[in-house]
Amino acid sequence: MQFCNQNFFVAGISKSGESSARFLLKRGAKVYIYDDFVSDNVMSVMQSLEQLGAVIVTADAYESAVRASDVLVLSPGIPIDNALPVMFRRLGKAIIGEEELGSLYLRATAVAVTGTNGKTTTVSMINDILKLAGKNSVMCGNIGTPLIGEVENLTFSDYAVIEVSSFQLETLSSLRPHVAIITNITEDHINRHYNMENYVFLKSKLIRNLRESEFAILNYDDERVRRLAELTRAKVIYFSAERRTDGVYYADGDIYCSGERVFSVSDMQVEGMHNIYNALACIAAAYALGIDLQVAAKAICEFKGIRHRIEKVYEKDGKTYINDSKGTNVDATLKAVACMNNDTVILLGGKDKGYDYTPLFEKLKESRIVHAVLYGENRIKLLNAAIKCGYNSLSMCSDFYTAVYIADRTAKSGQNVLLSPASSSFDSFSGYEERGDAFVKAVKAIG
């Protein structure tokens, strides 16, 4: 891709958009920048990019800038069927994303992780494993740091551990990791991808262009993921908590690789079956990368978890407050619920992502959840699902902070208050991080 003779239209000035624009401007490209929601922060970023030579595109100059551009660099927050990429497609112009742009110039060994849940934890564990093994490794992608912002700093002897979302996979085709991991595939983002077939297809893109010298690490216990082995030429390593595979498996409290015991899960600091699955995937990745498995085991056992994922954040009056703001879909919330060893009041709600919530309430009836506080934009849909399931231990309000107050007053000494919304945060917050921070602040402020 030649920079000085091509014009780029960067749409969506988030972290990825800003990083893409800076990368392109540094190489002499003409860059148009556009965002359909210009907050004070976005405008500040756009003005700083303008000083570097970027052209700010306003709504009235939209079409002329599109026609003058050769390549659209699309933010993962903008759907591929949005009017802007549709216009580029009709004009026969290229559409890429920030991770695609980064992939074209990546020299480091890539380890890429996708899946509905477990991506961030798996990426974090693998990064810790590589660092403990003495490797220079960075986490990037959907985990927060754009890949394009790291490619210049990484050499052929380094490692990039990349979290890849389904949104990023819409515009990603050149990434060919040495190790690709698919953790699981459950219902998510149906409001964007329309149906599960499209969602599964996007996840499968990560392994479709792997070569025979590369590795696809797949969850054998997830039927959708297991079937994807037919789509890749790579060496497949399965991991399982239900059967003894030829790859990595869990049995009798221990994790095994190729039939050899590696470590006991009782030594792990993070709990829950979902973290056992994450550990299995990480041991498989270490094996594929030729890392000493005892070094990998040590890193996994020392891993303390990630923020906003089943994170104990406060204790007061005998009550424990747990932030699982990262539980943005039904499957993630059910995994959090399964970790509750005491009776728990749960906060559910936010922006709907197209789910059927009846399976959630059916499972809640069998769990330690004693009360649900429904809030947010999708509270009525949640209420209808609860009624349909005969789940009636609940309260409802519209405001997040009111919901936290109700949950606090409902919970008794010895119980938990769990924020695990099974919903996106975008009805009231900029992301799950802001929602989780707001939860912590709110519970500490309640007298």
Side-chain angles (χ1 to χ4, degrees):
M1 185 176 291
Q2 191 173 34
F3 297 109
C4 58
N5 291 326
Q6 288 192 304
N7 299 337
F8 294 81
F9 190 113
V10 178
I13 309 304
S14 57
K15 287 182 182 178
S16 63
E18 179 185 359
S19 295
S20 297
R22 291 186 183 279
F23 179 88
L24 294 166
L25 288 165
K26 188 175 180 180
R27 283 153 182 78
K30 183 168 185 179
V31 179
Y32 297 94
I33 53 175
Y34 173 80
D35 202 303
D36 57 4
F37 179 73
V38 183
S39 63
D40 291 342
N41 182 58
V42 168
M43 179 52 69
S44 176
V45 172
M46 293 177 84
Q47 288 172 344
S48 69
L49 293 172
E50 185 180 35
Q51 292 176 359
L52 297 175
V55 178
I56 297 176
V57 177
T58 57
D60 56 349
Y62 186 99
E63 288 196 27
S64 60
V66 169
R67 293 184 183 280
S69 299
D70 301 295
V71 181
L72 170 63
V73 183
L74 190 66
S75 165
I78 302 175
I80 198 70
D81 58 357
N82 179 275
L84 177 62
V86 167
M87 187 181 301
F88 267 82
R89 196 177 301 112
R90 285 175 177 168
L91 293 171
K93 296 173 183 281
I95 302 172
I96 64 174
E98 171 268 319
E99 281 206 348
E100 174 70 6
L101 183 62
S103 298
L104 294 171
Y105 299 97
L106 180 64
R107 296 170 294 180
T109 298
V111 180
V113 182
T114 195
T116 305
N117 295 308
K119 296 187 296 295
T120 302
T121 299
T122 302
V123 163
S124 301
M125 280 185 176
I126 292 171
N127 190 60
D128 285 358
I129 289 168
L130 289 166
K131 286 185 176 299
L132 191 61
K135 310 296 184 182
N136 183 41
S137 171
V138 296
M139 299 184 294
C140 52
N142 193 56
I143 200 166
T145 303
L147 173 61
I148 194 65
E150 297 289 349
V151 290
E152 288 183 293
N153 304 322
L154 296 170
T155 68
F156 289 107
S157 60
D158 298 329
Y159 292 81
V161 190
I162 310 166
E163 180 177 328
V164 188
S165 72
S166 60
F167 293 0
Q168 292 165 323
L169 282 161
E170 287 181 335
T171 55
L172 183 62
S173 58
S174 297
L175 179 63
R176 185 176 283 153
H178 184 65
V179 176
I181 301 170
I182 303 181
T183 58
N184 48 65
I185 300 178
T186 58
E187 188 178 56
D188 201 9
H189 302 302
I190 302 304
N191 59 330
R192 169 132 166 191
H193 302 313
Y194 299 108
N195 55 54
M196 280 299 293
E197 285 185 351
N198 288 339
Y199 182 56
V200 172
F201 169 77
L202 287 169
K203 293 298 187 185
S204 74
K205 285 179 67 178
L206 190 66
I207 64 170
R208 283 177 177 264
N209 63 346
L210 297 183
R211 294 165 292 205
E212 292 84 353
S213 58
E214 292 149 352
F215 296 87
I217 296 174
L218 306 177
N219 184 345
Y220 188 90
D221 301 338
D222 186 314
E223 185 179 356
R224 290 190 181 102
V225 176
R226 185 170 68 245
R227 289 202 303 259
L228 297 182
E230 302 170 1
L231 305 178
T232 185
R233 294 178 294 160
K235 299 181 183 74
V236 174
I237 301 176
Y238 287 116
F239 62 95
S240 174
E242 297 178 358
R243 70 185 296 272
R244 296 172 185 255
T245 69
D246 292 335
V248 182
Y249 62 87
Y250 168 71
D252 303 321
D254 296 330
I255 285 180
Y256 293 80
C257 180
S258 299
E260 298 293 327
R261 180 185 177 279
V262 182
F263 69 96
S264 171
V265 299
S266 63
D267 294 330
M268 293 172 60
Q269 297 193 44
V270 290
E271 300 176 348
M273 182 55 69
H274 65 289
N275 277 317
I276 292 175
Y277 274 102
N278 295 335
L280 289 166
C282 291
I283 289 295
Y287 176 77
L289 292 168
I291 302 296
D292 185 318
L293 295 187
Q294 289 309 308
V295 171
K298 186 174 188 296
I300 290 170
C301 291
E302 291 177 350
F303 183 75
K304 293 181 173 60
I306 60 173
R307 292 191 65 219
H308 307 292
R309 185 60 174 142
I310 320 180
E311 177 190 20
K312 293 181 181 179
V313 293
Y314 196 53
E315 290 185 6
K316 180 186 65 175
D317 300 330
K319 294 178 278 191
T320 301
Y321 299 82
I322 301 170
N323 170 22
D324 189 49
S325 184
K326 207 170 188 308
T328 61
N329 57 66
V330 170
D331 185 62
T333 293
L334 289 175
K335 285 179 168 63
V337 167
C339 292
M340 297 301 106
N341 296 319
N342 297 320
D343 288 349
T344 300
V345 176
I346 190 170
L347 291 122
L348 297 169
K351 186 174 180 62
D352 184 50
K353 296 165 78 176
Y355 304 131
D356 174 9
Y357 292 106
T358 53
L360 172 63
F361 286 99
E362 289 289 356
K363 292 287 188 181
L364 291 188
K365 291 192 295 185
E366 305 167 3
S367 72
R368 297 299 297 267
I369 302 299
V370 295
H371 192 87
V373 182
L374 314 181
Y375 73 93
E377 183 182 285
N378 63 346
R379 63 191 181 278
I380 301 299
K381 185 175 179 181
L382 283 161
L383 176 63
N384 289 336
I387 292 170
K388 183 178 178 181
C389 295
Y391 189 94
N392 53 21
S393 181
L394 50 84
S395 306
M396 186 172 71
C397 62
S398 60
D399 177 67
F400 175 79
Y401 296 97
T402 303
V404 175
Y405 183 84
I406 293 171
D408 176 78
R409 288 298 181 255
T410 303
K412 300 174 183 177
S413 179
Q415 295 183 344
N416 302 323
V417 175
L418 169 66
L419 171 68
S420 189
S423 311
S424 164
S425 59
F426 296 125
D427 60 335
S428 301
F429 301 99
S430 62
Y432 71 82
E433 300 96 336
E434 184 183 359
R435 177 172 60 188
D437 291 341
F439 172 71
V440 175
K441 185 177 180 180
V443 298
K444 289 182 178 179
I446 296 172

